Structures are given as C-alpha cells and as structure tokens.
Amino acid sequence: MSGRIVQVNVSPGGVPKLPVAQAHVGRLGLAGDAVNHPKIHGGPERAVCLFSAEVIGALRAEGHPITPGAVGENLTVAGLDWPALAVGTVLEIGEELRLQLSQRVEPCRTIAGAFADGQFKRIKPSRVPDETRWYARVLAEGTVRPGDPVRLAAGVDEGQPLADADRQRGG
C-alpha cells in the first residue's frame, strides 16, 4: 500500500496549520511548527500529526468546512488505506523520513471551526477510529514535501518500543 503527501502544514501554534513547500522533520516534529499546549500535543511520541485527504473529502461532502491543515495535522496524506493503519505502523516518506504511528489523536474544541455546528467530536477515535488523525514518532529524520511518496515499511523497529501510555491506549 502506498500513498503520497498532499500538503505539509505548520503554524507558530494553534490552528489552522498552513501549507509550506517543505519542512525538515526532526525528533520533535517539523521545523517551523509549534503547539500551544505541549502537555497534550508534541513531544517525541506525538512529534507529527497525520490526517487523510480522503477523510477530509468525505467530511466536506457531509457539509463540514474542513480543509487540509484546519484540524492541526502536519501531513495531509492521500492514497493510504486509513482504516488499515494501527499503532506501530511504520511509514517511509520520501527518501529519508520514517515515522511510526504512536496513537490516534483525541479532538479538542480548538478545531471546532472546521466542523458544521462545531461538531469536532465527529473525528473522535472511540466513535470513528477509521476516520481520525494519527500521532507519530520520528524513527529517522528527513525533509518532507508535497508529492513525496508514502510507503508502509516491511516491519516495525523492535528496538524502539512505543511508550507505555501509548501501548495502554491501544491506538
């Protein structure tokens, strides 16, 4: 299964995150990106947020005013079988970048503007696990650009286990 990066998004904090031509992805996330609440977002286990372009399209078809970057994702991705993703999945992006999915992202009131009637819980993992955003940790740093291929890696890096809290959540 393979896909591609549709949009790379950053902000000085908060949403929406806006598109950039490229960004270096380090252990703590994308260069030029920041979060407003570091106890909730960011850190090595939540360094990068990903969301599906297809899910965004489906939400728009339902009447939500969502656009890429509106719900705080750093990478908007097309072409992956989003429901098949799971905690521990390793994604290879472009030439160097490797990410490991660490947990599904709980939505908060901050993204309400991207949803009709402020219904931000529309993408809550416990309600719609196949239509939610993902956090990922960075296994190998690299630069990411729109159009970069996204591939599922053959295996999980066993030497870098997920944090206990992420395992307990079960994705």
Side-chain angles (χ1 to χ4, degrees), residues 40 48 67-68 72 76 82 84 87 115 139 141 147 151 163 166-167:
I40 300 170
V48 179
T67 57
T76 310
W82 212 249
V87 169
F115 295 89
L139 299 178
E141 297 182 8
R151 300 167 301 281
D166 294 331
R167 261 192 253 108

Side-chain angles (χ1 to χ4, degrees), residues 3-169:
R4 67 180 172 80
I5 299 295
V6 172
Q7 192 165 295
V8 178
N9 309 296
V10 301
S11 82
V15 294
K17 291 193 183 284
L18 301 175
V20 294
Q22 67 179 29
H24 177 77
V25 182
R27 296 287 177 194
L28 295 177
L30 281 71
D33 189 55
V35 296
N36 285 341
H37 306 286
K39 289 184 180 180
I40 300 170
H41 308 290
E45 297 299 315
R46 299 179 305 257
V48 179
C49 182
L50 301 96
F51 200 33
S52 164
E54 289 84 2
V55 173
I56 291 171
L59 292 167
R60 287 187 62 79
E62 291 175 13
H64 300 287
I66 189 170
T67 57
V71 295
E73 81 274 10
N74 299 115
L75 303 178
T76 310
V77 182
L80 291 184
D81 182 0
W82 212 249
L85 299 178
V87 169
T89 299
V90 176
L91 302 175
E92 297 174 335
I93 301 172
E95 296 298 316
E96 309 163 314
L97 186 60
R98 282 175 56 92
L99 303 177
Q100 183 179 45
L101 300 182
S102 58
Q103 68 187 69
R104 289 180 173 92
V105 181
E106 284 293 330
C108 68
R109 198 171 317 280
T110 305
I111 64 169
F115 295 89
D117 299 322
Q119 298 175 13
F120 66 92
K121 291 184 181 179
R122 170 59 184 81
I123 59 171
K124 187 171 178 59
S126 63
R127 293 182 182 179
V128 287
D130 296 343
E131 298 178 359
T132 192
R133 299 166 294 164
W134 280 97
Y135 276 133
R137 64 196 309 245
V138 178
L139 299 178
E141 297 182 8
T143 299
V144 62
R145 297 167 190 83
D148 278 352
V150 179
R151 300 167 301 281
L152 289 181
V156 175
D157 288 356
E158 298 295 333
Q160 299 189 26
L162 297 173
D164 290 343
D166 294 331
R167 261 192 253 108
Q168 289 172 353
R169 282 188 190 99

